[in-house]
Protein backbone atom coordinates (compact mmCIF):
# COMPACT_ATOMS: atom_id res chain seq x y z
CA UNK A 1 0.00 0.00 0.00
CA UNK A 2 1.39 3.41 -0.91
CA UNK A 3 0.62 6.79 0.59
CA UNK A 4 1.89 10.00 -0.98
CA UNK A 5 2.86 12.68 1.50
CA UNK A 6 4.63 15.84 0.49
CA UNK A 7 7.34 15.11 -2.06
CA UNK A 8 8.19 11.57 -0.98
CA UNK A 9 6.34 8.32 -1.31
CA UNK A 10 6.00 6.33 1.90
CA UNK A 11 5.29 2.64 1.99
CA UNK A 12 2.91 1.43 4.67
CA UNK A 13 3.34 -2.06 6.01
CA UNK A 14 0.54 -4.53 5.46
CA UNK A 15 -1.28 -5.21 8.73
CA UNK A 16 -0.60 -8.62 10.19
CA UNK A 17 -3.60 -10.94 10.10
CA UNK A 18 -5.39 -11.22 13.44
CA UNK A 19 -3.87 -8.02 14.82
CA UNK A 20 -5.75 -4.78 15.26
CA UNK A 21 -4.13 -1.52 14.26
CA UNK A 22 -4.86 2.14 14.83
CA UNK A 23 -7.74 3.40 16.92
CA UNK A 24 -9.08 -0.09 17.70
CA UNK A 25 -5.83 -1.04 19.44
CA UNK A 26 -5.80 2.18 21.45
CA UNK A 27 -9.43 1.62 22.44
CA UNK A 28 -8.74 -1.97 23.55
CA UNK A 29 -5.68 -0.90 25.56
CA UNK A 30 -7.62 1.90 27.18
CA UNK A 31 -10.38 -0.55 28.13
CA UNK A 32 -7.89 -2.99 29.65
CA UNK A 33 -6.18 -0.23 31.65
CA UNK A 34 -9.58 0.97 32.90
CA UNK A 35 -10.50 -2.59 33.97
CA UNK A 36 -7.22 -2.97 35.89
CA UNK A 37 -7.73 0.43 37.55
CA UNK A 38 -11.28 -0.52 38.66
CA UNK A 39 -10.01 -3.86 40.04
CA UNK A 40 -7.23 -2.08 41.97
CA UNK A 41 -9.69 0.51 43.29
CA UNK A 42 -11.94 -2.19 44.73
CA UNK A 43 -8.98 -4.19 46.10
CA UNK A 44 -7.45 -1.24 47.95
CA UNK A 45 -10.63 0.66 48.81
CA UNK A 46 -10.29 -0.11 52.53
CA UNK A 47 -6.73 1.32 52.76
CA UNK A 48 -6.03 4.94 53.68
CA UNK A 49 -3.55 7.02 51.69
CA UNK A 50 -0.83 6.48 54.28
CA UNK A 51 -1.45 2.72 54.35
CA UNK A 52 -1.30 2.60 50.56
CA UNK A 53 2.02 4.49 50.51
CA UNK A 54 3.36 2.22 53.25
CA UNK A 55 2.33 -0.84 51.25
CA UNK A 56 4.09 0.52 48.17
CA UNK A 57 7.29 1.11 50.17
CA UNK A 58 7.09 -2.44 51.56
CA UNK A 59 6.62 -3.91 48.08
CA UNK A 60 9.52 -1.84 46.74
CA UNK A 61 11.77 -3.22 49.48
CA UNK A 62 10.63 -6.80 48.83
CA UNK A 63 11.25 -6.27 45.10
CA UNK A 64 14.82 -5.12 45.79
CA UNK A 65 15.42 -8.22 47.95
CA UNK A 66 13.99 -10.56 45.31
CA UNK A 67 16.03 -8.91 42.57
CA UNK A 68 19.24 -9.24 44.59
CA UNK A 69 18.51 -12.92 45.31
CA UNK A 70 17.79 -13.53 41.64
CA UNK A 71 21.10 -11.93 40.66
CA UNK A 72 23.00 -13.95 43.28
CA UNK A 73 21.45 -17.22 42.05
CA UNK A 74 22.07 -16.30 38.42
CA UNK A 75 25.76 -15.60 39.11
CA UNK A 76 26.20 -18.81 41.11
CA UNK A 77 24.49 -20.85 38.39
CA UNK A 78 26.77 -19.29 35.77
CA UNK A 79 29.86 -20.20 37.84
CA UNK A 80 28.64 -23.79 38.21
CA UNK A 81 28.06 -24.07 34.45
CA UNK A 82 31.55 -22.71 33.74
CA UNK A 83 33.13 -25.22 36.14
CA UNK A 84 31.03 -28.00 34.62
CA UNK A 85 32.25 -26.99 31.18
CA UNK A 86 35.86 -26.77 32.39
CA UNK A 87 35.64 -30.31 33.75
CA UNK A 88 34.04 -31.59 30.56
CA UNK A 89 30.82 -32.62 32.27
CA UNK A 90 28.68 -31.24 29.46
CA UNK A 91 30.00 -33.93 27.16
CA UNK A 92 28.52 -37.43 27.22
CA UNK A 93 30.92 -40.24 28.16
CA UNK A 94 32.92 -41.51 25.22
CA UNK A 95 32.35 -45.15 26.07
CA UNK A 96 30.56 -47.27 28.60
CA UNK A 97 33.01 -48.89 30.99
CA UNK A 98 30.54 -51.65 31.86
CA UNK A 99 30.12 -52.88 28.31
CA UNK A 100 32.88 -54.97 26.81
CA UNK A 101 33.52 -53.73 23.31
CA UNK A 102 35.99 -54.88 20.69
CA UNK A 103 36.11 -51.34 19.25
CA UNK A 104 38.71 -49.02 20.74
CA UNK A 105 37.64 -45.71 22.32
CA UNK A 106 39.39 -43.76 19.56
CA UNK A 107 37.41 -45.66 16.92
CA UNK A 108 34.19 -44.97 18.83
CA UNK A 109 35.10 -41.30 18.94
CA UNK A 110 35.80 -41.20 15.20
CA UNK A 111 32.47 -42.93 14.50
CA UNK A 112 30.57 -40.53 16.78
CA UNK A 113 32.23 -37.50 15.13
CA UNK A 114 31.40 -38.82 11.65
CA UNK A 115 27.75 -39.34 12.65
CA UNK A 116 27.60 -35.86 14.15
CA UNK A 117 29.06 -34.33 10.99
CA UNK A 118 26.57 -36.24 8.86
CA UNK A 119 23.66 -34.97 11.01
CA UNK A 120 24.88 -31.37 10.76
CA UNK A 121 25.16 -31.58 6.97
CA UNK A 122 21.60 -32.91 6.67
CA UNK A 123 20.08 -29.99 8.61
CA UNK A 124 18.36 -27.34 6.50
Amino acid sequence: MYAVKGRGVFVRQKPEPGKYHGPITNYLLREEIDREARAAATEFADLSDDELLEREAELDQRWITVREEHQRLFNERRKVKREKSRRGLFLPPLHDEDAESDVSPSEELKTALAESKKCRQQRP
Side-chain angles (χ1 to χ4, degrees):
M1 214 181 235
Y2 296 97
V4 178
K5 188 174 185 181
R7 294 183 188 195
V9 176
F10 299 94
V11 179
R12 254 192 303 183
Q13 298 292 326
K14 269 184 149 176
E16 295 178 35
K19 290 202 173 183
Y20 298 104
H21 298 274
I24 295 173
T25 303
N26 293 337
Y27 175 75
L28 293 174
L29 284 174
R30 205 170 33 250
E31 269 191 0
E32 184 178 346
I33 290 169
D34 289 343
R35 256 193 317 271
E36 288 177 2
R38 283 192 300 271
T42 57
E43 184 177 349
F44 301 117
D46 60 332
L47 296 179
S48 69
D49 292 349
D50 291 337
E51 291 171 330
L52 191 61
L53 292 173
E54 187 178 308
R55 173 119 184 211
E56 180 187 27
E58 176 192 328
L59 291 173
D60 285 346
Q61 186 57 44
R62 284 176 53 199
W63 177 247
I64 290 169
T65 305
V66 167
R67 207 172 49 216
E68 288 170 352
E69 177 69 8
H70 174 270
Q71 189 63 46
R72 189 188 63 74
L73 288 172
F74 179 83
N75 289 337
E76 187 175 340
R77 187 170 177 254
R78 186 173 50 194
K79 287 177 189 177
V80 167
K81 285 190 172 211
R82 283 184 183 154
E83 180 61 16
K84 220 171 117 177
S85 177
R86 189 186 70 76
R87 293 183 185 187
L89 298 175
F90 277 125
L91 303 173
L94 293 177
H95 56 86
D96 189 8
E97 284 108 18
D98 297 336
E100 293 292 327
S101 175
D102 56 348
V103 180
S104 70
S106 61
E107 289 298 320
E108 286 182 20
L109 178 61
K110 286 179 186 176
T111 305
L113 289 173
E115 287 176 20
S116 175
K117 184 177 179 182
K118 191 185 307 180
C119 287
R120 281 196 310 273
Q121 290 173 347
Q122 291 176 353
R123 288 186 195 153

